[in-house]
Amino acid sequence: MENAVKRIGVLTSGGDSPGMNAAVRAVVRTALSRGIDVIGIRRGWSGLISGDVFRMDGDSVAHIINRGGTILYTARCEEFKTEEGQQKAVATCKLLGIDGVVAIGGGGTFRGCLALSRHGISVVGIPGTIDNDIGCTHYSIGYDTAANTAIEAIDRLRDTMQSHERCSVVEVMGHRAGNLALYVGIATGATAVLMPEHPWDFQKDVAERIRNARLHGKSHFMIIVAEGAFNNDEIMKNPGSAAKVAEMIHEELGIEPRVTVLGHIQRGGCPNARDRVTATRMGYWAVECLAAGKNNRVVCHQGGTICDMDMEEALEVPHSISASEERVLQAMTGFEG
């Protein structure tokens, strides 16, 4: 069957996530196997505007499946949000004969895809973000690797906290989503986990759980805080979710917590098997969509199956956290083991 596209571009945009390189590799290899030319676009939408591109072949993606970050680099681009910037990007596509673009990133990346598609360029988005906060897909590239990185760091912190009988408050990434905090909290046996999705009460959800753990013989406590746990004006006045929680613990309980902000360490490192395989499957599917003449699609992971859906519909799907994982957390917290 003849391909609906002859030359495609591939880019990564927004925050990087482990597995992006595996997705780029899959896009390139799948396209080449179908006789489709591939143009690598450096630095996301900014590179498409400026023409920072290069032709990709099999050698371009050799030995990158295990590498963290993204060989295409990534950046956020305010200019692309303007009509003038979008016209420049379209002009680059026309000049180079790019009739389809695969963009790997999060919700902001997909909104960029929509803008480009309205100018006649076929687009497919692949979810790549450690936050796992894209409502249309159950899984986004990089989430599992980031979670395991955080878990390893927290396990190391626990050793020293236990030795000194201290309370540790750890801030994990996630932007405005608590998926990572919830998952990591269950895996590390946290005393409490604070997330932005639901209102939380300090007395009930932190102080009482620390007291309960102490009454059960524990002398060290692990509090996991999503970076957006204070999803209101208060955190704007007092930036740093973990620091604010630690201050509240000290004032209420008289103990002096140690604060650790894991930060961007969660984005780095070699992708694990799940992220490599998921990224490869998604990259393959994205090219198949373009080759079949599909446009304006997001590749999704739903119930273990890779599929695609309309991008505008996908962006309307609200983000949510796992209700079953929340129930497990409720049963586990307060009995740190």
Side-chain angles (χ1 to χ4, degrees):
M1 186 173 65
E2 186 176 351
N3 298 316
V5 292
K6 295 181 179 180
R7 179 172 295 137
I8 65 173
V10 58
L11 61 84
T12 52
S13 178
D16 63 303
S17 62
M20 279 186 165
N21 281 329
V24 171
R25 174 181 178 271
V27 168
V28 172
R29 290 198 167 193
T30 304
L32 294 177
S33 73
R34 297 191 63 114
I36 300 171
D37 290 338
V38 187
I39 302 298
I41 303 165
R42 297 186 183 94
R43 299 175 181 86
W45 302 119
S46 178
L48 191 59
I49 288 173
S50 65
D52 187 2
V53 302
F54 65 105
R55 185 184 292 273
M56 301 191 76
D57 56 21
D59 290 339
S60 303
V61 293
H63 312 299
I64 69 168
I65 194 170
N66 61 319
R67 289 172 56 183
T70 163
I71 64 165
L72 295 178
Y73 309 109
T74 182
R76 291 181 169 85
C77 181
E78 291 299 317
E79 186 179 5
F80 191 71
K81 295 178 181 179
T82 68
E83 178 63 24
E84 182 181 1
Q86 293 163 22
Q87 289 291 354
K88 289 180 182 178
V90 172
T92 299
C93 289
K94 290 181 177 179
L95 175 65
L96 300 176
I98 296 174
D99 42 17
V101 172
V102 177
I104 307 163
T109 300
F110 297 163
R111 283 185 283 276
C113 285
L114 275 177
L116 194 63
S117 72
R118 294 185 180 119
H119 292 281
I121 308 296
S122 296
V123 295
V124 175
I126 295 177
T129 167
I130 68 168
D131 304 334
N132 203 30
D133 60 349
I134 301 174
C136 65
T137 183
H138 297 160
Y139 190 82
S140 62
I141 298 168
Y143 177 64
D144 198 51
T145 302
N148 279 283
T149 298
I151 289 165
E152 181 181 354
I154 290 167
D155 284 346
R156 291 174 183 270
L157 278 171
R158 182 190 299 279
D159 291 342
T160 187
M161 290 299 109
Q162 187 171 7
S163 297
H164 292 274
E165 299 182 306
R166 286 175 175 162
C167 174
S168 183
V169 181
V170 180
E171 182 175 309
V172 300
M173 295 183 83
H175 190 48
R176 295 294 187 182
N179 302 70
L180 198 58
L182 174 60
Y183 192 75
V184 168
I186 293 173
T188 57
T191 308
V193 180
L194 304 181
M195 301 169 288
E197 281 81 0
H198 304 298
W200 49 270
D201 177 81
F202 175 78
Q203 284 294 334
K204 172 175 168 289
D205 297 316
V206 181
E208 284 305 314
R209 286 180 180 170
I210 290 176
R211 291 188 180 107
N212 188 46
R214 184 68 185 89
L215 289 171
H216 281 81
K218 303 299 178 183
S219 57
H220 64 285
F221 319 101
M222 185 67 67
I223 314 299
I224 308 297
V225 184
E227 64 181 345
F230 288 87
N231 202 351
N232 52 41
D233 291 338
E234 184 176 4
I235 193 58
M236 300 307 293
K237 300 173 184 175
N238 302 279
S241 293
K244 181 61 178 176
V245 172
E247 180 185 320
M248 296 166 76
I249 290 173
H250 179 64
E251 290 178 356
E252 176 66 24
L253 301 175
I255 56 179
E256 188 175 345
R258 295 294 188 269
V259 176
T260 302
V261 179
L262 295 182
H264 289 79
I265 190 175
Q266 295 158 98
R267 284 187 179 171
C270 298
N272 63 17
R274 183 179 185 186
D275 282 319
R276 296 184 198 189
V277 173
T278 303
T280 300
R281 293 174 67 195
M282 286 183 165
Y284 167 83
W285 195 276
V287 175
E288 291 294 300
C289 283
L290 289 175
K294 290 186 176 182
N295 177 31
N296 231 20
R297 311 298 291 180
V298 173
V299 179
C300 303
H301 185 285
Q302 297 181 350
T305 300
I306 303 297
C307 58
D308 59 271
M309 67 183 297
D310 178 80
M311 190 169 290
E312 293 196 49
E313 292 180 10
L315 286 171
E316 291 297 322
V317 179
H319 154 70
S320 63
I321 55 178
S322 169
S324 62
E325 288 182 5
E326 280 195 282
R327 290 193 293 271
V328 170
L329 179 69
Q330 289 298 322
M332 296 298 108
T333 48
F335 298 89
E336 185 177 324

